[in-house]
Amino acid sequence: MSRDLQGSTARLKRRWLYLPFIIAAVIVAAYGLLWRAGANEMKKYVATWVDEQRAAGFQVEHGEVRTDGFPFVLRALIDDASIAAPGQWRWRTDQLAIDALPYDLNRLVFSPSGEQRISVENAGAWRIEADDFRTSIASNKTSGWMFSATVGNAAIEPLANGASAQIDALVLDLAPDPADPATLTLKIAGDGFTTNDGGGEFKLARLEAALALTRTELLSAPDPAAAWRAEGGELKIAHFFAQNSQASLAIAGALHLDRENFLAGTLDTEVTNPAALVRAAGAAGLLNDQETEQAEAGLTLAAIAGGGKIAAPVILKDGVAEIAGVKIAPLPNFE
């Protein structure tokens, strides 16, 4: 009897040794079923999104849609993806990956690979290649949603002759203000910006910005500029900083539209080596040769008096931006 009891006890102990493996197998099987269900939902999401965009008047085309990424991520791969607003713009890429966690489809990460092409009516067409190019849309408990973008080592070249650009690194976040969903907030941080229009090169080592655009619900009005102006819409600049090897610019303040639909307002500004900034504005075509020469002379004198920098408001009025009484740029009209 004692031998039988000992044998039963030994068998029971061995069974307990198998239990962790049985539990692990059940978990793996359940996760596999969850991943498969998520893959089916991802395909349904892609098909539904395509149908919705086509119903809204967009042209959406794509090749094969398949899923990948098991077990770490749920990924939909879409070949030859393109979307266009007829007569306005078009975007395409060789392949678009959409990533999500199998148990949470509230955050989707979009990663185009290969070459991207963007064309805009009356503005030309460009080719984009990047080592890292990711955008994401996520549900957010505080603001409702958030759009984010991460770009690394990107080159933007025109398909015809024109300006080109290079970006070493860029991070961007766009979301509604939790306290006011009609206000959109934008945060940008980036390094290594270079543009070349064929006649000269402009470089920016660092760019930081924290902006907020109020009353965005009015931007879909029949006359959005007039409606936004009438209801006191503002562009709030909490922080803006730009720096290259020669100059830096820091700005804070708020802008609105005047009766002629030009940006207007006063911005607290600090500029180091303003002459270099003026030369950059001239190279970008914002000032003609005479205006560049006059602005460079005037701001150089002001900077000498300020120990190499100018701390004075930039005044935007009547379609012109001025600092220390010197015109530094014309302003766009938003009619």
Side-chain angles (χ1 to χ4, degrees):
M1 292 294 292
S2 61
R3 289 182 178 179
D4 291 341
L5 181 60
Q6 289 175 355
S8 298
T9 302
R11 286 193 295 271
L12 183 60
K13 288 181 178 179
R14 285 196 297 269
R15 289 172 184 171
W16 277 106
L17 290 176
Y18 298 144
L19 185 60
F21 297 99
I22 295 172
I23 294 174
V26 170
I27 292 174
V28 170
Y31 184 83
L33 292 174
L34 177 65
W35 190 94
R36 187 182 296 275
N40 291 332
E41 287 299 315
M42 180 71 83
K43 285 187 174 181
K44 290 179 182 178
Y45 169 84
V46 172
T48 299
W49 186 87
V50 169
D51 290 341
E52 289 175 348
Q53 302 314 304
R54 287 173 175 168
F58 294 99
Q59 293 178 348
V60 181
E61 305 294 337
H62 61 82
E64 181 185 4
V65 179
R66 59 192 185 279
T67 54
D68 195 6
F70 183 83
F72 303 107
V73 70
L74 178 61
R75 176 174 296 136
L77 296 174
I78 307 171
D79 294 333
D80 297 322
S82 70
I83 182 172
Q88 300 179 48
W89 55 266
R90 176 179 294 275
W91 172 87
R92 73 161 300 279
T93 187
D94 295 338
Q95 186 180 81
L96 177 65
I98 305 176
D99 291 351
L101 295 174
Y103 51 85
D104 184 10
L105 296 180
N106 290 321
R107 182 174 184 267
L108 301 176
V109 180
F110 301 82
S111 305
S113 60
E115 182 182 87
Q116 299 179 63
R117 291 199 177 192
I118 299 176
S119 60
V120 180
E121 188 71 15
N122 299 323
W126 297 269
R127 178 191 300 110
I128 301 175
E129 292 186 352
D131 292 344
D132 183 16
F133 197 110
R134 289 170 290 146
T135 62
S136 68
I137 300 175
S139 297
N140 188 294
K141 292 182 180 179
T142 57
S143 61
W145 60 267
M146 175 177 285
F147 171 83
S148 300
T150 301
V151 179
N153 193 24
I156 305 171
E157 299 178 350
L159 296 181
N161 293 331
S164 61
Q166 172 76 34
I167 300 173
D168 289 347
L170 175 67
V171 177
L172 177 152
D173 290 321
L174 176 68
D177 187 329
D180 179 12
T183 295
L184 287 183
T185 63
L186 175 65
K187 295 181 179 179
I188 299 174
D191 298 291
F193 299 87
T194 303
T195 62
N196 194 320
D197 63 359
E201 187 176 75
F202 174 69
K203 291 187 175 184
L204 197 60
R206 180 68 180 171
L207 175 66
E208 301 172 1
L211 314 174
L213 186 67
T214 71
R215 306 307 304 266
T216 57
E217 80 279 8
L218 301 172
L219 300 182
S220 59
D223 188 346
W228 192 72
R229 181 186 67 244
E231 296 300 324
E234 286 187 312
L235 172 62
K236 298 181 179 180
I237 305 173
H239 172 69
F240 181 92
F241 176 77
Q243 182 181 39
N244 62 19
S245 60
Q246 297 178 309
S248 66
L249 171 67
I251 293 175
L255 301 175
H256 59 276
L257 290 180
D258 64 17
R259 293 185 177 182
E260 302 298 324
N261 289 328
F262 287 106
L263 284 173
T266 301
L267 301 173
D268 295 330
T269 306
E270 183 175 291
V271 187
T272 60
N273 194 5
L277 189 65
V278 170
R279 289 193 295 271
L286 299 177
L287 300 173
N288 60 36
D289 291 343
Q290 182 179 359
E291 290 172 334
T292 300
E293 184 178 343
Q294 292 175 345
E296 185 175 353
L299 293 182
T300 297
L301 291 175
I304 291 173
K309 66 180 181 180
I310 297 176
V314 168
I315 299 174
L316 288 75
K317 185 179 180 181
D318 299 329
V320 173
E322 296 183 347
I323 182 171
V326 177
K327 175 183 175 181
I328 55 174
L331 300 174
N333 186 276
F334 291 91
E335 283 187 333

